[in-house]
């Protein structure tokens, strides 16, 4: 009765991977339970998520061929564009379709932008590519594009391109406070990305030591036209989520990323932790910190749990509180 926080299926966004050159779904070793989908298995999974009342998905593509500029990201025949079209055809308007907007999955060097002769990412040249990606995704049916490359000025560039071509209703979820994190490791397995020459993303992603800077990045993205902002990763950055919540009135998303999921699954597989209880506790904490939306690989299993706990008449909220016993190990309430 007095619970301050409830986790609901309405809060969840499912990240899904679709790969071009496969005929059967491929498991991802470092992300147990997550797969690279074929087009068919993607449609099936999305339909099942929709039937569990999950409101949204975000798509990542793995192309058959990569090149220097990541042209698969904006090719109308690129895997994500094709998938958006198929999803729209199969799901109509029953699910919000988001597309991650970046080129790292599509470039030979694995960076989130165009690389110059010195091997440095060229911020401004990259913006033109992002504009092409945004348009390709909007044309293909994305409701929301989610730029994740952390280039300066990316939101303004994308907004301008979308508006110029009449896509004024296509929203932007900005990966605004995105840290250069060790927790993205399993994701890079999932999308076959290795950054060239042992490189990293510290030139464009944020330093984990900085919190005030995150507020600056978020403010810039909002001023440039972002409709929603994201903090990423989630668990090591709950303070950033809280700060953003205290300062802002826009929707705030948090990405519970691949490495956070992998740690939980590894401990669960070893029998060291009660995975289901820990999952619920983690996502509830992210919500309590102030996130409105959570992108998480746990979406399907949590949605199934919440679905099973729906009131028999189906009229109540699709929400349950975390099991008391788990949150109060002493059991002395
Ligand atoms: C970039 C992107 C990354 C993730 C989402 N979008 C990887 C990166 O910045 O290196 C990571 C998501 C996760 O770890 O679950 N396209």
């Amino acid at each position: 009765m007095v619970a301050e926080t409830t986790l609901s299926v309405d809060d969840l966004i499912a990240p899904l991977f679709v790969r071009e050159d496969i005929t059967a779904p491929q498991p991802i070793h470092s992300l147990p339970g997550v797969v690279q989908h074929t087009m068919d298995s993607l449609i099936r999974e999305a339909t099942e998520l929709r039937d569990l009342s999950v409101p949204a998905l975000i798509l990542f593509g793995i192309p058959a061929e990569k090149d220097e500029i990541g042209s698969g990201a904006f090719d109308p025949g690129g895997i994500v564009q094709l998938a958006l079209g198929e999803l729209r055809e199969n799901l109509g308007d029953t699910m919000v379709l988001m597309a991650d907007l970046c080129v790292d999955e599509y470039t030979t060097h694995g960076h989130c932008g165009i690389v110059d002769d010195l091997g440095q990412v060229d911020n401004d040249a990259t913006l033109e590519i992002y504009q092409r990606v945004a348009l390709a995704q909007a044309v293909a049916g994305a409701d929301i594009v989610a730029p994740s490359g952390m280039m300066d000025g990316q939101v303004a560039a994308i907004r301008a391109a979308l508006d110029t071509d009449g896509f004024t209703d296509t929203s932007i979820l900005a990966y605004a406070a995105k840290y250069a994190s060790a927790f993205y490791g399993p994701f890079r397995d999932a999308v076959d990305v290795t950054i060239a020459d042992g490189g990293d993303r510290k030139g464009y992603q944020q330093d984990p030591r900085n919190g005030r800077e995150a507020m600056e990045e978020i403010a810039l993205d909002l001023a440039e036209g972002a409709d929603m902002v994201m903090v990423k990763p989630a668990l090591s950055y709950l303070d950033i989520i809280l700060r953003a919540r205290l300062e802002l009135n826009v929707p705030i998303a948090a990405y519970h990323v691949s490495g956070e999921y992998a740690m939980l699954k590894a401990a669960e597989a070893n029998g060291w932790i009660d995975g289901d209880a820990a999952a619920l506790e983690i996502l509830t904490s992210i919500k309590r910190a102030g996130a409105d939306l959570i992108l998480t690989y746990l979406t399907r299993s949590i949605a199934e749990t919440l679905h099973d706990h729906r009131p028999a008449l189906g009229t109540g909220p699709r929400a349950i509180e975390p099991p008391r016993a788990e949150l109060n190990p002493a059991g002395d309430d």
Side-chain angles (χ1 to χ4, degrees):
M1 186 176 76
V2 293
E4 296 170 22
T5 308
T6 45
L7 183 69
S8 156
V9 70
D10 295 328
D11 307 324
L12 305 176
I13 300 171
L16 298 177
F17 300 101
V18 58
R19 180 167 162 181
E20 195 162 27
D21 54 355
I22 51 172
T23 50
Q26 303 293 311
I28 301 157
H29 181 66
S30 51
L31 284 178
V34 181
V35 300
Q36 297 174 331
H37 282 288
T38 64
M39 194 67 82
D40 285 349
S41 72
L42 175 76
I43 305 297
R44 256 196 319 277
E45 178 71 8
T47 307
E48 287 168 19
L49 289 167
R50 191 271 317 271
D51 292 344
L52 286 164
S53 304
V54 173
L57 59 81
I58 182 163
L59 268 188
F60 296 90
I62 303 114
E65 308 276 343
K66 305 187 187 222
D67 63 23
E68 280 289 300
I69 63 166
S71 52
F74 55 80
D75 183 342
I79 184 65
V80 160
Q81 282 69 256
L82 295 178
L84 285 166
E86 292 276 336
L87 286 167
R88 184 60 76 206
E89 203 173 306
N90 283 274
L91 298 174
D93 276 339
T94 58
M95 209 173 186
V96 174
L97 303 182
M98 302 189 182
D100 183 81
L101 196 169
C102 196
V103 291
D104 62 324
E105 296 90 359
Y106 304 87
T107 54
T108 38
H109 45 72
H111 273 294
C112 294
I114 305 299
V115 171
D116 67 17
D117 297 343
L118 299 171
Q120 304 281 350
V121 172
D122 182 336
N123 189 95
D124 293 2
T126 300
L127 298 184
E128 288 170 37
I129 301 286
Y130 284 3
Q131 290 180 314
R132 297 173 72 173
V133 181
L135 281 175
Q137 292 176 340
V139 168
D143 297 300
I144 300 180
V145 297
S148 64
M150 289 295 281
M151 297 298 130
D152 292 340
Q154 63 184 14
V155 173
I158 290 166
R159 185 72 270 160
L162 290 171
D163 289 352
T164 303
D165 276 36
F167 292 99
T168 49
D169 290 342
T170 305
S171 301
I172 299 178
L173 165 60
Y175 284 70
K178 177 174 177 183
Y179 284 88
S181 171
F183 293 108
Y184 307 149
F187 174 92
R188 294 186 190 153
D189 295 338
V191 293
D192 290 339
V193 167
T194 310
I195 306 176
D197 305 320
D200 58 45
R201 306 208 196 290
K202 292 179 183 166
Y204 38 102
Q205 298 181 347
Q206 286 186 81
D207 188 324
R209 294 171 295 188
N210 290 359
R212 292 190 298 266
E213 188 187 25
M215 294 305 107
E216 198 57 28
E217 290 283 347
I218 289 172
L220 282 167
D221 281 0
L222 287 171
E224 290 178 24
D227 299 286
M228 300 164 244
V229 292
M230 192 198 297
V231 176
K232 177 185 173 192
L235 221 40
S236 306
Y237 300 89
L238 290 177
D239 59 323
I240 308 299
I241 298 172
L242 176 60
R243 271 202 216 190
R245 176 75 295 151
L246 294 176
E247 288 183 24
L248 306 171
N249 293 316
V250 295
I252 296 170
Y255 201 143
H256 179 248
V257 301
S258 58
E260 301 180 86
Y261 173 87
M263 289 194 301
L264 173 65
K265 287 293 165 189
E268 182 182 29
N270 274 298
W272 295 340
I273 202 168
D274 177 342
D276 290 340
L280 215 44
E281 185 175 333
I282 287 169
L283 298 183
T284 301
S285 325
I286 296 169
K287 188 88 192 289
R288 191 193 61 237
D292 301 295
L293 305 165
I294 307 172
L295 292 80
T296 176
Y297 305 99
L298 294 163
T299 293
R300 174 148 191 161
S301 66
I302 296 283
E304 283 168 350
T305 307
L306 296 177
H307 200 262
D308 292 346
H309 286 77
R310 265 202 289 193
L313 292 175
T315 50
R318 293 183 301 252
I320 59 168
E321 10 169 341
R324 263 162 184 271
E326 309 303 336
L327 287 180
N328 182 8
D332 56 353
D333 41 339

